[in-house]
Amino acid sequence: MTRRIMHIDLDAFFVSVEQAENPELKGEPVVVGGRPDRRGVVASASYEARAFGLRAGMPLVTASRLCPQAIFIEGNFSKYRAASQKFMAILADFSPYLEPVSLDEAYLDATGFESIHGSIHQMAENIKQRIGSELGLCASMGIAGSKVVAKIASELSKPDGLLEVAAGEERFFLAPLPIARLPGVGKKTERILNGLGINTTGKLSTVPLATLKSHLGVFGELLHRYASGIDDREVGPPTAARSISRETTFAEDTKNRRLLEATLRYLSERLGADLRQRGKQAGCVTIKLRYADFITITRRHTLSQAADSDQTIFDTGLRLLNKELSGEKRLVRLIGIGVSNLVEAGRQLAMLDSSAQRLEQLNRAIDRIRNKYGFSAIQTGRTLLLKDIFPQSDEGYTLHTPSLSR
Ligand code: TTP
Ligand code: MG
């Protein structure tokens, strides 16, 4: 049976919840995120506001400059969470194969459901209808044979869209699209690919795999498959993490490089231990910084070979940090490090050079000791600086705001 995967994403979610509650806001440029005189960014903008160039992540001051007549709303997260739960409950009525991705986004496996609704297209219409009548919200939906194509279809259909890509048509559908449409292709990957003369997804799918791997590492392989519409990921409860990260906010904003590095090192060790515990290796390392002005940046680097050692994670993070902070005057409020593009940690020792082998042995030895005697049983030179700053137990340092995310 050919797979039929739906991707559903609510339009201007936070804003739409406000509009459903207060119909006077309908048809107006509305922003949820805070008052324009406050520090902070746009969380959600109505499509009327987007016509003025407003986007999620834009500082509120910029938003109010571009669109002074916009209505700015603080927002209320528990309200959106409640709406999200109702949204997911409606979807669960249609198929047990449901995978929530975020508050307003989910995949649904509808394979074989034609007979119940007449067609998959009709099933999608029915879902949209219920979301509209019961929640007063508008959903955009994509239907295709794989997750990656279904998601791109729903994005292209926005707002209030429904776009079905017929089985076997995936390649033709993707071919004319710019590569930035593919998941994970940010500015940097786009630049690299453009540099190779690759601008469209169609072109990307015809480039030899080895070329992509040499420029993008493990991510290149994944992109190559996506570009051809190949994506075997199942729809299901999200079991395995797709990324892991550790971050912390400092009690006081800082530009002390030794403190920043020591904290990054410590977070890298916590992250590395978690990664190895899960039996995974990472293809990509990301750092995150929030400056005192609340502007948050992430910088990422794709590894030439998937890795799981503290040293590789930290060294990569440190290079990104040094590059980001050179010439930077602002104080840092939050620092974080994450890994993504996770793959099973295969035992590919033959492929590793001897220094990588030594690192792997070293990390395993450290993990064994820490599992037995606690995280603080081994401390690396760089993190010792933290001793004077954070309270410590066998389990490690107690950071000001420890935060774990998927
Ligand atoms: P999105 O689905 O990305 O955005 P949206 O629903 O507002 O608009 P659309 O899907 O029509 O393009 O995110 C869902 C909600 O998540 C969004 O309403 C607010 C929240 N969000 C943030 O808080 N910060 C962000 O940077 C983004 C992108 C979303
Ligand atoms: Mg949305």
Side-chain angles (χ1 to χ4, degrees):
M1 206 179 300
T2 46
R3 292 212 304 162
R4 291 281 81 192
I5 310 294
M6 289 183 181
H7 180 265
I8 308 114
D9 188 295
L10 298 174
D11 296 339
F13 177 46
F14 288 7
V15 163
S16 303
V17 171
E18 298 296 337
Q19 289 171 326
E21 194 179 278
N22 180 1
E24 279 177 17
L25 296 173
K26 283 187 184 157
E28 300 291 333
V30 178
V31 168
V32 169
R35 305 274 161 208
D37 53 339
R38 290 270 292 281
R39 299 203 291 189
V41 295
V42 174
S44 179
S46 67
Y47 280 78
E48 290 78 7
R50 288 181 210 193
F52 292 86
L54 273 58
R55 296 286 178 271
M58 176 181 277
L60 291 166
V61 275
T62 314
S64 81
R65 190 162 42 74
L66 289 173
C67 182
Q69 70 274 42
I71 302 162
F72 290 85
I73 300 172
E74 195 80 45
N76 174 343
F77 194 76
S78 55
K79 208 157 67 183
Y80 310 139
R81 197 169 38 215
S84 168
Q85 282 166 354
K86 289 184 191 150
F87 163 60
M88 294 297 172
I90 291 175
L91 297 182
D93 274 351
F94 282 86
S95 165
Y97 309 108
L98 170 67
E99 181 179 329
V101 179
S102 69
L103 284 180
D104 82 329
E105 177 186 357
Y107 290 100
L108 204 69
D109 192 333
T111 309
F113 281 60
E114 298 83 339
S115 52
I116 305 176
H117 300 275
S119 68
I120 299 296
H121 197 275
Q122 187 56 48
M123 175 178 172
E125 293 281 14
N126 296 349
I127 293 175
K128 277 169 70 78
Q129 204 274 329
R130 272 195 63 188
I131 292 169
S133 63
E134 292 177 30
L135 306 179
L137 300 176
C138 199
S140 290
M141 299 180 60
I143 309 170
S146 66
K147 282 176 149 184
V148 68
V149 180
K151 183 172 165 82
I152 293 171
S154 84
E155 280 169 6
L156 285 181
S157 80
K158 274 179 176 293
D160 194 13
L162 171 51
L163 184 53
E164 179 167 9
V165 181
E169 299 286 318
E170 283 83 3
R171 262 174 172 273
F172 304 104
F173 167 72
L174 294 176
L177 301 178
I179 46 174
R181 280 278 166 199
L182 291 172
V185 175
K187 288 266 175 306
K188 189 173 161 207
T189 308
E190 196 181 4
R191 252 198 320 274
I192 293 171
L193 292 173
N194 289 162
L196 295 168
I198 305 166
N199 298 305
T200 63
T201 302
K203 183 76 201 284
L204 181 61
S205 69
T206 63
V207 173
L209 185 57
T211 310
L212 291 178
K213 275 181 90 168
S214 71
H215 286 88
L216 298 171
V218 281
F219 183 49
E221 211 171 324
L222 188 67
L223 264 190
H224 195 259
R225 285 203 299 274
Y226 282 178
S228 313
I230 300 168
D231 175 11
D232 298 328
R233 287 175 300 157
E234 303 270 346
V235 174
T239 42
R242 270 169 297 177
S243 62
I244 315 172
S245 60
R246 294 290 183 278
E247 64 183 48
T248 187
T249 302
F250 294 106
E252 269 174 42
D253 299 348
T254 182
K255 60 189 306 183
N256 179 336
R257 286 293 268 272
R258 286 183 54 230
L259 172 60
L260 289 166
E261 285 177 20
T263 309
L264 189 71
R265 172 76 208 190
Y266 181 67
L267 295 172
S268 300
E269 291 178 14
R270 305 296 318 209
L271 183 62
D274 189 357
L275 188 64
R276 293 187 295 276
Q277 170 97 37
R278 295 170 193 245
K280 300 279 188 191
Q281 293 187 327
C284 189
V285 175
T286 305
I287 62 159
K288 174 173 170 182
L289 291 175
R290 179 167 300 140
Y291 290 107
D293 57 10
F294 279 85
I295 302 286
T296 307
I297 62 102
T298 58
R299 296 283 177 259
R300 72 176 199 177
H301 178 79
T302 302
L303 302 171
S304 55
Q305 183 156 39
D308 63 4
S309 74
D310 299 346
Q311 291 78 358
T312 306
I313 295 169
F314 172 68
D315 290 346
T316 309
L318 184 61
R319 272 200 302 277
L320 292 169
L321 181 76
N322 285 335
K323 208 162 134 197
E324 173 60 25
L325 289 182
S326 83
E328 180 56 60
K329 301 226 165 33
R330 288 173 293 180
L331 298 176
V332 174
R333 177 184 170 84
L334 168 150
I335 188 168
I337 186 155
V339 286
S340 56
N341 296 356
L342 304 185
V343 294
E344 296 298 326
R347 314 233 76 222
Q348 308 160 309
L349 287 182
M351 287 171 58
L352 300 176
D353 59 32
S354 61
S355 66
Q357 267 189 49
R358 272 202 304 280
L359 268 186
E360 178 172 331
Q361 281 163 4
L362 175 64
N363 278 281
R364 268 174 223 297
I366 291 175
D367 288 344
R368 271 199 303 277
I369 295 169
R370 281 179 167 166
N371 285 338
K372 203 159 169 191
Y373 301 106
F375 200 88
S376 301
I378 292 183
Q379 303 209 33
T380 52
R382 250 185 234 262
T383 64
L384 285 174
L385 171 73
L386 303 178
K387 250 195 164 109
D388 303 330
I389 305 173
F390 300 110
Q392 196 187 8
S393 72
D394 281 355
E395 287 315 305
Y397 293 106
T398 309
L399 300 183
H400 180 56
T401 54
S403 133
L404 310 180
S405 55
R406 287 209 301 156

